[in-house]
Amino acid sequence: MEIFQYEFMHRAFLAGIIIGLICPVVGLFVALRRMSMISDALSHVCLAGVAAGLFSGSNPIITASAFAIAGALTIEKLREKFKTYSEISIAITLSTGVALGAILLDLGKGYNANFMSYLFGSIVAINTTDVIIIAISGLLILGLIFLLKKELFFISFDEEGASLAGLPVKAITIAFTVLTALTIAVAIRVVGILLVSSLIVLPVAASMRIAKSFRGALLISVIMAEVAVIIGLFASFYINLAPGGAIVMTSVILLLGTLALCQRQYNPVKVTEKIAQREDSSI
Amino acid sequence: MRKQVLIELTNLYFTYGCHPVLDNVNLEIKTGESVGLLGPNGSGKTTLLKLILGQLRPHSGAVKVFGVEAHRLRERYRIGYVAQRATHFNTEFPATVKEVVASGRVPRRGLFRLLTSQDYQRVDQVLDMVGLSSMCNQPVGTLSGGQQQRVFIARAIVSEPEILIMDEPTVGIDSAAQSSFYELLKKLNSKENITLLIVSHEMEGLSSVISRQVCLDKNLCSCNCHSYPAKKMQVSCSKRLAFQYAK
């Protein structure tokens, strides 16, 4: 196939497949913990990180990672200050990120094609260094999520119960927010700053409509994300679309298809009544 | 054989602002006991539990669990806890009964350690004990209130705790499910030798399960057990004194 004759497409597929794996894995816990807006705030903080990278001549993925991690820690700190209105911390971090990004871009006269490739993603701009950074970060993220999976599950399902059972909920939450920040920072090279949170949320949203178990939700969301990445990259190459847009629109179509195909809508109340009747009669 | 004291409250005093909630409360719970803590709404029952669970610290007096101050207890898996609103979880959470129960093993296993086949054997054993084996692969949100309550009890006991604490466990459960729930509690206490501390505002149904009642009331402690001497019911105590009655 023509698409595989180009080396830049090899890099794009490699980076895309890694991102298609880490985004939904992190995204499932993000969605279950009702933290979806955090990913949006952190992606906007990456804007400042990319601008700082372009301004200073450093690798923008590394500076974006540093900014996103700082943003994640800021959100956690602010959540302590605004316990009852924790979403305020997200709004503060998001607007600070955008404001700082605007200033740095203006200072560096950075409104150019290179910056646009970070806004919407680019397949031609992914170099070998980017792939190495994405692969190392991806391994680190997947490894830590794998080791903390059971704790994250417990906390996502019942935070108070996990705390009473003696789990270090605060430390795990901070570690997870940092991993989310790192995921977003490395994914922006392929999907773009403005669309990265969609790749975190959309495959998970589709999987949660059909999965009956946590393991199933994890598996389905990864499959959905990988399908979206592969179709998106093909569309990007053959139709010359922005890869971020193509990947996210494929995710949207998959989500809509899932909703349409799920004729038997999952209605816990009805199912509960039905099962309760059956089981109560057998007790 | 002398029974070990698992929970020990000594001259306990706790206040929210300038309103004392618990004053001079003394209580001992020993291995194998099944204690019912009753009292009207707002009588400080949940506060007392939070102190025992180490969520709150007393303003004076002491709360000891397994001989150490409650908030300093590291092996928290030794206490199983079923919260009052345990069944008020996100019913659309994609998790099976088995996955939720298995999460109860996590604190015992420790950070960064994966659950082993031994852990899953214990999960199967507990599911069988609470009568949920046939539903282990069902989404937890699709169960009835009584079945969900069993899931949370299973999650609490899967870590092999020595004490099981339950806050209003029968709220929202229909009467048919309640009777089988009481049978389960009896089994846990007698066969599994789990010490029970059950908080409730009514003890009618639980009277067959508990061996001792402890009553908390606003300014007066009383025990409204059917067989309790009327004279003692009128005994006026210092604020929030836990009053004990052995069946």
Side-chain angles (χ1 to χ4, degrees), chain A residues 27-75:
Chain A
L28 183 59
F29 292 107
V30 166
L32 291 175
R33 298 200 66 197
R34 299 168 199 270
M35 289 164 59
S36 299
M37 287 311 293
I38 282 188
S39 58
D40 213 25
L42 292 177
S43 65
H44 283 78
V45 172
C46 286
L47 185 84
V50 168
L54 293 172
F55 180 63
S56 64
S58 314
N59 186 307
I61 297 185
I62 292 173
T63 48
S65 302
F67 271 67
I69 290 169
L73 296 173
T74 307
I75 287 175

Side-chain angles (χ1 to χ4, degrees), chain A residues 150 158 214-215 272 279, chain B residues 94 99 113 142-143 147 155:
Chain A
K150 59 188 190 349
D158 178 7
F214 179 77
R215 189 183 286 226
T272 302
E279 295 302 332
Chain B
E99 285 172 333
R113 290 190 183 160
T142 64
L143 304 186
Q147 289 159 349
R155 188 184 70 174

Side-chain angles (χ1 to χ4, degrees), chain B:
Chain B
M1 201 178 116
R2 204 177 157 190
K3 286 188 173 179
Q4 189 196 350
V5 176
L6 300 184
I7 297 173
E8 189 182 4
L9 312 179
T10 316
N11 302 326
L12 184 62
Y13 178 85
F14 186 85
T15 175
Y16 287 116
C18 57
H19 300 288
V21 184
L22 300 165
D23 190 357
N24 197 30
V25 172
N26 292 282
L27 178 69
E28 269 190 7
I29 297 176
K30 292 178 180 167
T31 315
E33 276 196 291
S34 175
V35 178
L37 177 64
L38 77 157
N41 289 336
S43 60
K45 302 187 298 291
T46 302
T47 302
L48 192 67
L49 282 197
K50 285 183 176 176
L51 285 156
I52 293 170
L53 292 164
Q55 275 189 306
L56 296 174
R57 291 190 196 187
H59 291 114
S60 72
V63 184
K64 287 189 175 178
V65 183
F66 304 117
V68 295
E69 283 181 279
H71 65 274
R72 291 187 197 278
L73 182 71
R74 296 183 74 92
E75 299 153 325
R76 298 225 160 256
Y77 57 81
R78 293 175 73 185
I79 309 173
Y81 176 61
V82 181
Q84 188 176 352
R85 294 174 63 84
T87 53
H88 291 219
F89 63 97
N90 169 17
T91 52
E92 289 196 44
F93 195 100
T96 63
V97 169
K98 193 169 183 173
E99 285 172 333
V100 172
V101 175
S103 70
R105 285 298 285 183
V106 173
R108 182 171 268 274
R109 187 50 61 195
L111 272 179
F112 299 116
R113 290 190 183 160
L114 303 177
L115 296 183
T116 63
S117 56
Q118 275 180 322
D119 292 312
Y120 285 106
Q121 268 174 17
R122 170 71 184 163
V123 171
D124 291 337
Q125 188 192 344
V126 167
L127 283 170
D128 189 42
M129 195 189 301
V130 300
L132 289 174
S133 291
S134 59
M135 288 173 239
C136 67
N137 292 320
Q138 221 161 276
V140 71
T142 64
L143 304 186
S144 69
Q147 289 159 349
Q148 286 172 359
Q149 187 67 276
R150 282 167 176 265
V151 172
F152 289 102
I153 290 172
R155 188 184 70 174
I157 63 171
V158 79
S159 64
E160 299 165 64
E162 287 147 76
I163 310 167
L164 178 60
I165 298 174
M166 283 176 279
D167 193 358
E168 303 282 3
T170 52
V171 170
I173 300 176
D174 60 54
S175 54
Q178 277 185 21
S179 53
S180 58
F181 170 69
Y182 297 140
E183 286 305 311
L184 171 65
L185 291 185
K186 275 191 232 174
K187 193 161 76 176
L188 293 176
N189 185 233
S190 58
K191 292 187 179 166
E192 296 289 312
N193 200 29
I194 297 175
T195 304
L196 300 176
L197 173 59
I198 305 163
V199 169
S200 183
H201 62 276
E202 59 91 24
M203 280 286 159
E204 205 180 325
L206 283 167
S207 59
S208 64
V209 179
I210 58 172
S211 56
R212 183 156 64 104
Q213 286 187 3
V214 180
C215 310
L216 271 179
D217 199 356
K218 216 159 205 173
N219 295 306
L220 170 78
C221 329
S222 66
C223 184
N224 60 355
C225 318
H226 50 88
S227 58
Y228 194 73
K231 218 177 180 180
K232 284 206 170 182
M233 278 176 69
Q234 292 161 16
V235 172
S236 175
C237 315
S238 64
K239 266 186 190 174
R240 308 291 178 159
L241 175 70
F243 194 93
Q244 299 177 40
Y245 162 64
K247 259 170 58 172

